[in-house]
Amino acid sequence: MLKTILVLATRNIGKTKEIRQILQDFDVEIKNLDDFGPIPEIEEDGNTFEENAYKKASFAARILGYPAIADDSGLVVEALNGKPGVRSARYAGNNATDEMNLKKLIKEMEKFPDPNNRKAAFECVISIATATGAALTYEGRCEGLLLDEPKGDGGFGYDPIFFYPELKKTFAELSIEEKSLISHRGMAFKEIISEFDKILTWIDINMPQFEPVKCKL
Ligand code: ITT
């Protein structure tokens, strides 16, 4: 039987590694956006993780014709009234690197040395969309504390300052497997995995059927 193709609608290498690892034992063929050649950039101008996740997944599914899975995620810091939030990837500017965003957050948090003011949560919304525009949505969240300097060399983004009290480690000190057991992305995928068979059936039902058209040019 042919495997269902699922396109990972992300350009983020860290996310791609985690999602590929989480889905490695499932009977699907995972493709990247790069497998299809140049594709227009998707503008992430939504006000919520959900809007952006749907935009990324439905856009990829519509232009490629395959079901697509997109993650929109970010860090929500209590003392900064929820910032960087949906702007996590662009906190230090539109072309900011992970290092620039991390540096900016460390600087901003210097105003809040009190441990009670260092609460933060990673949030994640996963959208699975087909070319019809139909979509399924899953969410995950993980709470922690922000350190004042980076620790660990794993992970990506804000992982080196995101301290997870239960394990007494930052996310950058965990392996991908350890991180996925507790992370915002891991939590969203826990639900996806628990109903993966149903999702595959839903994808089959929702894929548009293209009939060959006979015509003269
Ligand atoms: P795509 O849109 O192509 O998926 P992106 O990096 O632009 O990639 P988002 O808009 O969802 O993705 O922004 C996510 C940002 O939030 C990411 O760049 C990190 O700065 C941060 N982030 C999300 N999940 C994270 C994680 O598990 N560890 C560390 N930082 C994370």
Side-chain angles (χ1 to χ4, degrees):
M1 210 176 101
L2 283 180
K3 279 189 179 179
T4 302
I5 291 177
L6 206 48
V7 179
L8 271 193
T10 176
R11 302 256 179 221
N12 182 308
I13 295 165
K15 280 186 195 177
T16 305
K17 272 192 199 157
E18 289 182 17
I19 298 173
R20 276 190 173 277
Q21 226 262 1
I22 291 170
L23 293 178
Q24 67 183 350
D25 295 331
F26 289 87
D27 209 18
V28 281
E29 186 179 337
I30 305 282
K31 288 198 180 282
N32 281 340
L33 290 177
D34 294 333
D35 292 331
F36 297 91
I39 293 169
E41 283 299 317
I42 307 159
E43 205 188 336
E44 292 183 42
D45 52 5
N47 291 320
T48 60
F49 294 121
E50 188 170 347
E51 273 178 64
N52 284 333
Y54 176 68
K55 209 173 164 186
K56 290 188 267 192
S58 58
F59 180 79
R62 281 192 174 115
I63 63 166
L64 300 174
Y66 291 109
I69 181 160
D71 159 312
D72 201 65
S73 47
L75 187 67
V76 174
V77 180
E78 205 174 281
L80 301 177
N81 298 318
K83 283 185 185 163
V86 284
R87 290 200 49 85
S88 290
R90 301 171 300 281
Y91 190 39
N94 280 341
N95 297 315
T97 59
D98 277 2
E99 289 70 28
M100 289 156 74
N101 289 328
L102 186 64
K103 213 169 149 191
K104 174 163 175 176
L105 184 60
I106 291 172
K107 184 94 197 118
E108 289 288 314
M109 289 307 291
E110 283 175 3
K111 295 175 207 150
F112 304 99
D114 182 341
N116 289 322
N117 284 331
R118 308 212 41 117
K119 289 184 195 143
F122 273 126
E123 293 186 5
C124 167
V125 176
I126 305 278
S127 177
I128 303 177
T130 73
T132 62
L136 301 171
T137 307
Y138 298 85
E139 293 175 18
R141 183 181 153 93
C142 178
E143 293 178 359
L145 297 170
L146 297 183
L147 300 186
D148 52 12
E149 56 181 42
K151 234 177 141 206
D153 343 285
F156 66 97
Y158 301 97
D159 282 345
I161 59 165
F162 188 81
F163 181 77
Y164 188 70
E166 282 83 342
L167 295 179
K168 296 190 172 53
K169 283 182 180 172
T170 68
F171 269 11
E173 294 178 294
L174 302 178
S175 64
I176 293 186
E177 292 88 337
E178 288 169 329
K179 179 179 167 186
S180 295
L181 284 176
I182 49 167
S183 75
H184 49 314
R185 189 163 300 106
M187 291 302 106
F189 270 100
K190 197 171 168 194
E191 214 186 323
I192 292 175
I193 284 166
S194 73
E195 53 186 33
F196 207 64
D197 288 346
K198 283 192 210 156
I199 294 173
L200 293 181
T201 308
W202 175 87
I203 286 174
D204 272 350
I205 295 166
N206 279 284
M207 284 308 284
Q209 304 298 316
F210 298 108
E211 296 294 333
V213 179
K214 281 186 195 160
C215 65
K216 279 185 182 167
L217 292 177

